[in-house]
Amino acid sequence: MASLSIYEYTSYDAFIADTAQHGIAETDLALVWVLLERLEPDEVFIRLPRWLAEEKVGYTEGGTPTEFVGRIDRTTEKALLFVDSAAARPLMKRAHRINHLEEGLENSTIDSSSIPDDEERRAWLERKLAHHREAFAHRADQDGLTDEWLPISQIETVLRHRESST
């Protein structure tokens, strides 16, 4: 019988050092980390074999997703109930965009001598950031698993970000 291993990371360096065992493509490492940082404490990133994803989700626009974000509601010796899930790829891109918008806001300082264009740019960044945060929080329009029982023996990766205790 397989047991469920949830890998928790508090730092990007630890995550990078351990990625070989998770089978995440090198080009996706930064995107996965940004996504993990944006998840709620009870949410996890999960990767399934293609055959299981095809069985549970089917074909969607762009292919069958194999990576998801959601919550583990219950577990048994052989399976877990995965709920409130969405495909991870669109969320990775959105989390990355949120980070860029936040950096843009941090870099745009407005003081009393600011020119109107700076104020307009800041307002635009704030609107875009609010839109992306809202879309990230409400994932109902994204493909996902619909409250699915998944066999623990077939789950390839489960990752979670954990805040540092220091």
Side-chain angles (χ1 to χ4, degrees):
M1 168 178 41
S3 64
L4 180 64
S5 296
I6 299 176
Y7 297 91
E8 295 183 333
Y9 297 97
T10 58
S11 75
Y12 184 67
D13 292 338
F15 172 69
I16 292 298
D18 211 19
T19 54
Q21 76 184 52
H22 302 311
I24 298 170
E26 189 174 335
T27 55
D28 290 341
L29 292 175
L31 290 175
V32 171
W33 179 252
V34 168
L35 175 62
L36 290 175
E37 287 184 311
R38 295 247 168 234
L39 297 180
E40 295 296 321
D42 64 338
E43 290 181 302
V44 296
F45 169 95
I46 194 167
R47 192 161 52 89
L48 304 174
R50 181 158 309 283
W51 72 265
L52 182 57
E54 287 172 350
E55 179 180 301
K56 298 292 185 178
V57 179
Y59 183 81
T60 61
E61 184 178 330
T64 302
T66 58
E67 299 169 331
F68 302 91
V69 168
R71 292 176 171 80
I72 299 172
D73 186 58
R74 286 181 285 168
T75 60
T76 67
E77 290 182 19
K78 295 183 179 185
L80 64 83
L81 180 59
F82 198 58
V83 299
D84 303 328
S85 72
R89 178 86 30 207
L91 291 175
M92 282 188 253
K93 291 176 182 177
R94 191 162 308 271
H96 185 68
R97 182 71 176 141
I98 290 169
N99 273 11
H100 278 289
L101 289 167
E102 287 174 344
E103 288 171 8
L105 277 170
E106 286 175 16
N107 293 333
S108 68
T109 56
I110 296 179
D111 57 33
S112 59
S113 65
S114 293
I115 57 174
D117 285 347
D118 287 343
E119 291 176 22
E120 288 176 27
R121 180 177 185 276
R122 184 169 180 82
W124 180 85
L125 286 169
E126 288 172 346
R127 284 191 308 274
K128 293 299 269 183
L129 180 58
H131 167 76
H132 283 286
R133 283 180 174 161
E134 174 82 12
F136 186 86
H138 298 96
R139 305 166 190 170
D141 62 338
Q142 296 189 8
D143 296 318
L145 303 164
T146 309
D147 296 355
E148 292 285 346
W149 282 97
L150 302 172
I152 290 173
S153 64
Q154 296 301 312
I155 296 172
E156 293 179 358
T157 304
V158 182
L159 304 173
R160 177 182 292 153
H161 179 263
R162 185 172 44 91
E163 291 296 320
S164 175
S165 59
T166 58

